[in-house]
Amino acid sequence: AQSVTQLDSQVPVFEEAPVELRCNYSSSVSVYLFWYVQYPNQGLQLLLKYLSGSTLVKGINGFEAEFNKSQTSFHLRKPSVHISDTAEYFCAVSGGATNKLIFGTGTLLAVQP
Amino acid sequence: DVKVTQSSRYLVKRTGEKVFLECVQDMDHENMFWYRQDPGLGLRLIYFSYDVKMKEKGDIPEGYSVSREKKERFSLILESASTNQTSMYLCASSRTGFSPLHFGNGTRLTVT
């Protein structure tokens, strides 16, 4: 069975500082990995995805993530955050026979001025 | 742009009522999903559908049923609402099995 772990429920950071949101997964098959962002009172929207190929994936709003198969991780990074990046971020994994998308519990990124 | 529309933004129902949550997508997507979102638990899959009249149970189907009579519409039904079903419900659609999901804005359901 697949699972996703986001160890940090909340990450406070000052504006213009770098940030890393951690995501680890477990799976016995090849996986596809996603990061979604949820702004207040909205649904989720796709930030970036890893399907195959280069392990460094670039997404919208200056975010990027690196797929590390040996460490089963897919951490999300941004070199300089803005107030507008304040949102909840969800890591998700799919793969195997069912193609179901399994979500982590989310990390609230709180950017302070 | 793909649009997934959930019919209600906020809903308040009484215990024991039958509740219908409606979701419509406009991009001819094959797959549709219903999730519930609770603080500290993330998103949990209730039901999904890969085709018209087809449905499969997700991780927490108890107390719920679904209907997909037309490709663009996927309804979630709470046969007899209970207070532990108070939650944010998110509908999503995708073109194929590994395509990214497109989400609606959610329905916040309160059962009193």
Side-chain angles (χ1 to χ4, degrees):
Chain A
Q2 296 163 334
S3 66
V4 178
T5 302
Q6 293 181 249
L7 284 173
D8 305 307
S9 60
Q10 192 166 346
V11 173
V13 63
F14 287 108
E15 195 173 16
E16 297 184 7
V19 71
E20 178 179 86
L21 305 184
R22 297 181 294 168
C23 173
N24 288 90
Y25 69 92
S26 68
S27 176
S28 58
V29 298
S30 297
V31 295
Y32 303 98
L33 293 156
F34 305 82
W35 276 100
Y36 285 83
V37 59
Q38 185 180 33
Y39 298 104
N41 298 315
Q42 294 185 26
L44 280 71
Q45 57 182 275
L46 181 69
L47 204 53
L48 49 78
K49 62 181 184 285
Y50 171 79
L51 302 181
S52 65
S54 172
T55 56
L56 184 62
V57 180
K58 294 193 183 295
I60 61 171
N61 300 340
F63 283 92
E64 64 181 31
E66 185 154 19
F67 171 57
N68 188 319
K69 190 174 181 180
S70 62
Q71 297 188 4
T72 60
S73 68
F74 191 55
H75 301 330
L76 181 70
R77 301 185 183 101
K78 187 170 183 178
S80 175
V81 295
H82 301 136
I83 294 285
S84 59
D85 292 323
T86 294
E88 190 150 24
Y89 293 79
F90 292 92
C91 183
V93 61
S94 72
T98 63
N99 298 343
K100 287 192 308 183
L101 197 60
I102 307 298
F103 284 86
T105 52
T107 297
L108 178 62
L109 176 63
V111 182
Q112 304 162 14
Chain B
D1 235 12
V2 177
K3 190 156 187 183
V4 179
T5 303
Q6 295 184 231
S7 55
S8 303
R9 190 79 179 94
Y10 298 96
L11 214 50
V12 180
K13 296 292 181 181
R14 293 197 181 276
T15 302
E17 277 192 80
K18 190 168 186 175
V19 181
F20 292 87
L21 303 184
E22 306 288 347
C23 175
V24 177
Q25 50 96 2
D26 66 357
M27 282 301 291
D28 202 36
H29 282 174
E30 302 293 330
N31 310 313
M32 296 190 76
F33 306 82
W34 274 107
Y35 288 89
R36 65 176 281 176
Q37 181 181 11
D38 300 287
L41 297 177
L43 277 75
R44 293 178 291 166
L45 183 63
I46 305 172
Y47 267 97
F48 59 105
S49 169
Y50 287 149
D51 202 352
V52 175
K53 296 192 186 292
M54 175 272 177
K55 60 186 178 185
E56 284 197 34
K57 293 180 180 178
D59 300 316
I60 51 163
E62 297 77 21
Y64 303 94
S65 63
V66 289
S67 171
R68 194 166 181 199
E69 295 296 318
K70 293 184 178 181
K71 192 175 186 179
E72 67 271 18
R73 186 179 296 271
F74 192 36
S75 304
L76 180 69
I77 304 155
L78 286 66
E79 294 291 341
S80 177
S82 63
T83 54
N84 63 13
Q85 292 179 310
T86 290
S87 186
M88 170 70 86
Y89 290 87
L90 291 167
C91 175
S93 71
S94 70
R95 187 170 54 85
T96 65
F98 294 119
S99 299
L101 300 184
H102 297 265
F103 283 86
N105 283 337
T107 296
R108 186 166 292 282
L109 172 67
T110 302
V111 183
T112 61

